[in-house]
Amino acid sequence: MSTLTEAAVESAVRELTYAEAIREALAIAMEADERVFLFGEDVGVYGGAFGVSGDLVHRFGPDRVIDTPISELGIAGAAVGAAITGMRPVLEIQFSDFVTLAMEQIVNQAAKIRFMFGGKAKVPMVVRLPGGSGTGAAAQHSQSLEAWFAHVPGLKVIQPSTPHDAKGMLLAAIDDPNPVLIFEHKLLYKTKGHVPEGDYRVPIGKAAVRREGRDLTIVGSSIMAVRAVAAAEKLAQEGIDAEVIDLRSLRPIDFDTIAASVRKTHRLLVVYEGVKTMGIGAEISAMIAESDVFDFLDAPIIRLGGAEVPLPYNPVLEKAAVPQEENILEAARRLARGEA
Amino acid sequence: MKADTDTTAQRPNQRPELAAIDDETMRGVLRKMHLIRKFEEAAEASYMRGLIHGTMHLSIGQEASAVGSTLPLKAEDYILSTHRGHGHCIAKGADPARMFAEFFGKENGYCKGRGGSMHIADVEGGNLGANGIVGGGLPIAVGVGMSIKAQKLDRVAVVFFGDGASNEGAFHEALNMASIWKLPILFVCENNKYGMSMDVSRAMAVPNVADRAVAYAMPGIIVDGNDLPAVAAVAREAAERARSGGGPTLIECKTYRLRGHSKSDRNLYRTKEEIEEWRNRCPIRRLEAELVAHGRFTPEELMTIEEAAQAEIDAALEFAKASPDPDPKDLTRDVYAD
C-alpha cells in the first residue's frame, strides 16, 4: 500500500536536468514576452556548446535564437544596446572564461549606464556564463570568475545549484530591470532534480538553507552547495550536525541568512571554487568580523577555496585545485574540533 | 523642408549639397553650429576660471561633422556619442542649459551630475550617451540596430567615434555584425588626425578609416568633415539606405580638433602652423562665406543668428551656476533599477 502511494508521488514529481530547466525557462520567457531573445555563439542549430539552447531555434526561429560571430566584446555590447532600447536580451557567453574579452561592455557600460545617466535608463540584460572546472578543459576553459563581477556595483551575480533554482532564478533574472550574470557550473548541467511546470520565480538575493544543523555552518553556492550537502550527510553519520546554506546569489548577498545560522552554530566554513584569496570567502568572513556575529564565533572561520594556480589539465591535479567533497568533510571535522 | 516654396531647383547655381538645404533648415544648422562652438568656448572659460573640475574634451573645429551627420535624423532616431561629445548632444537637440548643469555636476543636469562631460545622455531625446571608453559605443550601436529591427521601427542609429577607436577590436566586431545583419546604422568616424597624440598615419596601416569598410562589405565614404553640406548629403544617403533595409554605412569625416585632446594637452606632437592651417578651414566661417556669396543670407542675418546663440549659451551657463548640487544622502541612488 505504502509502496503504491510512493510511486504515485514519484511520478507526479517531474524531474529535469539543470540544462533542461534553463531551456524551459528560456522558452517560457520567450513565449510570454516577444522582447526576449537569446543570442550567442552556436546557440542556434548547434544547440549551444553544452546543449542548453537545444531545439529552441526550431521553436522560436533564427530571429529570436541568434547565432553570433565569435565576438564576445561585440555581442556583450549588443546586449547593452538592445536592453537600453526596449529589448530583453539573454546572452550566452560560451565559456565563462571568454567573458574576459567582454569585460569592457559588462563592467564599464552595462553596470554603469543607469547610474551615469542619472537613473534615466535601464539595462535589463541577462548574461549566461557556463563556468567551473571538472571537465578536463584546462586553464582557459574552467575558471570561476564570479567574484570579479560581484565586486561591481550595478551588476547582479547569481549561481543557482539546482535545476529548480536554475529555472526560477533565470526567469527572475530575465524579469529584472538590471544586468544579471548567471554563472552555470558545467558539471551541474546533467544533474537532475524536481522542476515545477510553468512559470515561477526564485528571488535574486535570497539564500536557501539546504540542511538544518546545530554544530557548524557551511556556506557555498553552485556546485559547492551540492558538495556541501553531500558532505553534511556523511558528517551526520559521524555525529556532526552541519547546517548548509546555498548562497544562490553573490550580489546582492543574503548576509542575514548567514548571520542567523552562525549565531546558532558558532562555527563557519565558507566553500567556493574561485581562487581562495580576495574571494567570496574573504568577503563573508569580513562581514562576520565586522558584525556582532563575530562575538558568537567559537572557532576561527575556515575558508576553503580554489588553489593559487591556473587550473591544470591533468585530472588528478584538476581535482586537487578546487574543493571536493572530501576536502569539505576534512575542513568541517577540523572546524567541529575547534582546530584552525 | 518646404518643398512647395523652397526647392533645390530654386538654387541652380549652387552645388547640389548646398542647394539641398533650404533656408529654414540652414538657420537651424547655423544656430546649432554656433551653439556648439560657444558651448565649448564657455566650457573652456569655466574651467580656466576654476568653476568646474575634472576634464573635458572640446570639439571646436568639428561642428560640421556633428551637425551634418545628424541633419537627416528624426527626433526618434538614436545617436551614440564619444568622450568628445558635447557637439553631438547639441546637434541631436539637447538643451545647453541642462548640459551645462551636468558639466557643473548639478542635480538638474541631464544625468543629475552623476555623469559629467563624458557621459551626457538624453535617452528620451534619442541620445543614448556619450562614452568615456574609446570605441565603447560601437558594439552598443549594434544592439540598438538589432532592437530597431526586432521592433520593426522606422529608425536609424548614428554612432560617432574617432580615428583612434577604429583601431579597437570593438570597431571591427561592430562593423562586421552590423553588416551581416544589415542593421540600420551610420558609423560616423570623426577623423581629427590624432588619437590623443598619435598621428593617424602612424597608428593605422591603411591611409583612411573608410578603407576598412571593404572588409565588412559596406560602403566606406570619405567626406570633408569641415564642409557641412557635404557631410549632410553623405549622411542623408546613408540614412535612406539604412531605413530601406540596405544596411550600414561607414562615413569618415576628415576634420581637426583645434584644441588639445583634453585640458592638459601641450600640443607637443603638432605644429602651430598645422593648427593655423586648419583654423582657416573653420567649418562655420566657411559655410557662412558660401551662403553670403550666393546671396542666401546677409552678413547681418548671420550675425543675428550667432548673437542669439551666444545669448542662449550665456543664459545656459547662468542656469547651471544657479542650479542645486546633488545631496550626498542620494549617493547610492540609481545604481539599480527597482
Side-chain angles (χ1 to χ4, degrees):
Chain A
M1 190 66 186
S2 76
T3 332
L4 272 176
T5 315
E6 276 165 29
V9 169
E10 206 159 294
S11 70
V13 176
R14 189 183 65 134
E15 290 215 327
L16 292 182
T17 66
Y18 191 100
E20 288 164 347
I22 291 170
R23 190 183 315 138
E24 189 165 277
L26 290 167
I28 288 170
M30 284 198 281
E31 291 266 354
D33 186 346
E34 60 184 20
R35 299 172 303 173
V36 178
F37 67 99
L38 173 70
F39 71 134
E41 295 155 12
D42 310 297
V43 299
V45 290
Y46 191 98
F50 298 98
V52 174
S53 48
D55 64 347
L56 288 177
V57 70
H58 301 299
R59 293 163 65 186
F60 295 95
D63 290 337
R64 295 188 70 198
V65 180
I66 303 168
D67 276 327
T68 72
I70 302 172
S71 303
E72 287 82 7
L73 174 63
I75 57 183
V80 175
I84 60 174
T85 52
M87 301 298 284
R88 295 264 170 176
V90 179
L91 174 66
E92 178 177 304
I93 295 287
Q94 192 164 80
F95 282 77
S96 70
D97 312 70
F98 308 162
V99 79
T100 50
L101 292 154
M103 290 302 275
E104 198 283 294
Q105 285 293 330
I106 293 172
V107 175
N108 288 325
Q109 313 290 343
K112 293 174 175 58
I113 278 178
R114 178 172 177 78
F115 182 83
M116 289 192 301
F117 292 4
K120 306 237 183 78
K122 288 179 182 170
V123 192
M125 60 186 264
V126 175
V127 187
R128 295 185 35 246
L129 303 124
S133 71
T135 63
Q140 297 170 340
H141 291 71
S142 304
Q143 296 168 87
S144 297
L145 302 175
E146 51 278 353
W148 290 4
F149 298 93
H151 188 65
V152 181
L155 300 179
K156 293 188 177 182
V157 181
I158 59 176
Q159 268 194 309
S161 70
T162 66
H164 174 278
D165 284 1
K167 180 179 168 185
M169 292 189 89
L170 178 54
L171 283 165
I174 292 169
D175 242 9
D176 199 285
N178 298 287
V180 181
L181 277 64
I182 172 166
F183 283 86
E184 303 163 0
H185 201 290
K186 298 191 287 277
L187 293 184
L188 292 178
Y189 279 137
K190 287 180 178 158
T191 61
K192 279 193 155 186
H194 170 55
V195 176
E197 308 256 6
D199 194 349
Y200 65 93
R201 311 296 155 99
V202 174
I204 293 170
K206 194 87 197 84
V209 178
R210 295 293 183 204
R211 184 184 190 283
E212 293 196 5
R214 292 162 298 148
D215 297 337
L216 58 91
T217 300
I218 308 176
V219 175
S221 56
S222 187
I223 199 162
M224 291 304 155
V226 176
R227 288 180 186 162
V229 169
E233 296 308 325
K234 289 186 180 155
L235 289 167
Q237 292 163 22
E238 302 173 17
I240 299 170
D241 189 17
E243 180 143 304
V244 178
I245 295 174
D246 181 355
L247 208 48
R248 299 200 285 200
S249 172
L250 301 184
R251 184 178 192 92
I253 191 164
D254 180 4
F255 182 64
D256 290 348
T257 298
I258 301 169
S261 178
V262 176
R263 278 195 192 98
K264 181 174 69 173
T265 67
H266 303 186
R267 291 170 203 274
L268 176 62
L269 167 62
V270 189
V271 191
Y272 50 108
E273 182 162 340
V275 172
K276 181 179 172 184
T277 48
M278 306 287 164
I280 297 161
E283 184 55 41
I284 292 173
S285 304
M287 288 174 116
I288 295 283
E290 282 184 329
S291 77
D292 66 301
V293 185
F294 183 70
D295 294 332
F296 288 80
L297 288 178
D298 285 344
I301 296 168
I302 295 181
R303 286 183 292 157
L304 189 60
E308 308 292 322
V309 66
L311 283 152
Y313 168 65
N314 174 282
V316 176
L317 296 180
E318 185 185 21
K319 270 198 143 180
V322 301
Q324 306 296 326
E325 191 185 313
E326 52 270 29
N327 305 119
I328 300 173
L329 275 170
E330 188 272 328
R333 288 182 196 126
R334 273 195 290 135
L335 185 62
R337 290 198 297 265
E339 298 165 12
Chain B
M1 293 189 196
K2 297 176 291 178
D4 299 337
T5 55
D6 189 353
T7 66
T8 300
Q10 292 173 337
R11 296 181 279 274
N13 300 323
Q14 299 173 21
R15 57 189 174 122
E17 298 90 337
L18 182 67
I21 304 173
D22 67 48
D23 287 350
E24 190 188 327
T25 305
M26 190 60 85
R27 264 178 219 285
V29 162
L30 289 163
R31 171 180 167 267
K32 281 184 173 171
M33 290 174 82
H34 280 300
L35 279 178
I36 293 170
R37 176 69 58 93
K38 291 177 192 311
F39 182 96
E40 301 290 50
E41 288 172 350
E44 192 174 35
S46 300
Y47 181 79
M48 297 301 181
R49 282 189 221 128
L51 296 174
I52 52 157
H53 73 273
T55 194
M56 61 195 168
H57 306 88
L58 302 175
S59 66
I60 291 175
Q62 301 183 191
E63 295 87 352
S65 65
V67 177
S69 302
T70 51
L71 197 58
L73 298 192
K74 296 180 288 188
E76 62 272 24
D77 290 326
Y78 298 108
I79 68 160
L80 293 111
S81 170
T82 70
H83 59 288
R84 200 175 306 288
H86 302 158
H88 309 142
C89 295
I90 290 173
K92 187 65 172 64
D95 172 7
R98 293 185 63 203
M99 284 178 65
F100 259 124
E102 186 58 35
F103 200 26
F104 276 59
K106 301 301 181 101
E107 186 67 34
N108 54 3
Y110 268 112
C111 306
K112 302 182 184 172
R114 269 66 171 180
S117 164
M118 268 190 283
H119 303 295
I120 297 178
D122 173 21
V123 177
E124 281 171 21
N127 177 355
L128 300 176
N131 210 305
I133 303 298
V134 168
L138 287 157
I140 299 177
V142 171
V144 175
M146 291 170 79
S147 194
I148 291 169
K149 229 178 155 177
Q151 297 175 63
K152 299 184 170 60
L153 301 171
D154 176 26
R155 294 186 190 178
V156 299
V158 169
V159 53
F160 290 100
F161 57 100
D163 45 280
S166 78
N167 294 321
E168 292 276 11
F171 166 86
H172 299 273
E173 295 186 16
L175 264 72
N176 184 54
M177 285 192 281
S179 186
I180 59 175
W181 293 328
K182 290 257 180 289
L183 301 178
I185 301 172
L186 279 65
F187 291 96
V188 178
C189 178
E190 298 182 297
N191 179 349
N192 62 16
K193 200 163 150 28
Y194 296 97
M196 200 153 150
S197 72
M198 194 167 184
D199 192 298
V200 70
S201 66
R202 291 198 295 134
M204 215 166 63
V206 287
N208 306 296
V209 174
D211 296 344
R212 294 178 153 168
V214 71
Y216 306 107
M218 70 173 75
I221 297 160
I222 298 170
V223 61
D224 178 347
N226 285 22
D227 180 350
L228 182 121
V231 174
V234 167
R236 190 178 303 115
E237 194 188 329
E240 280 165 15
R241 176 166 44 247
R243 283 186 211 283
S244 62
T249 303
L250 172 60
I251 298 169
E252 179 181 7
C253 298
K254 300 270 195 192
T255 184
Y256 196 78
R257 62 167 155 76
L258 291 169
R259 293 297 190 271
H261 163 73
S262 68
K263 59 166 185 163
S264 50
D265 186 340
R266 290 183 294 149
N267 281 320
L268 297 175
Y269 52 88
R270 57 183 187 174
T271 63
K272 284 196 180 72
E273 291 73 26
E274 183 185 283
I275 299 171
E276 199 48 42
E277 186 199 325
W278 278 93
R279 205 184 302 282
N280 294 331
R281 297 192 222 169
C282 167
I284 302 177
R285 297 300 170 214
R286 239 173 99 178
L287 178 61
E288 288 180 330
E290 195 174 7
L291 290 168
V292 170
H294 285 293
R296 286 182 59 177
F297 289 85
T298 65
E300 292 72 25
E301 285 174 307
L302 295 175
M303 186 56 75
T304 306
I305 294 169
E306 183 172 348
E307 283 170 357
Q310 185 65 60
E312 196 174 337
I313 292 299
D314 292 345
L317 199 57
E318 291 310 312
F319 172 83
K321 285 184 196 167
S323 292
D325 282 317
D327 188 332
K329 79 172 166 48
D330 296 326
L331 174 65
T332 58
R333 188 186 62 197
D334 295 328
V335 176
Y336 291 98
D338 296 327

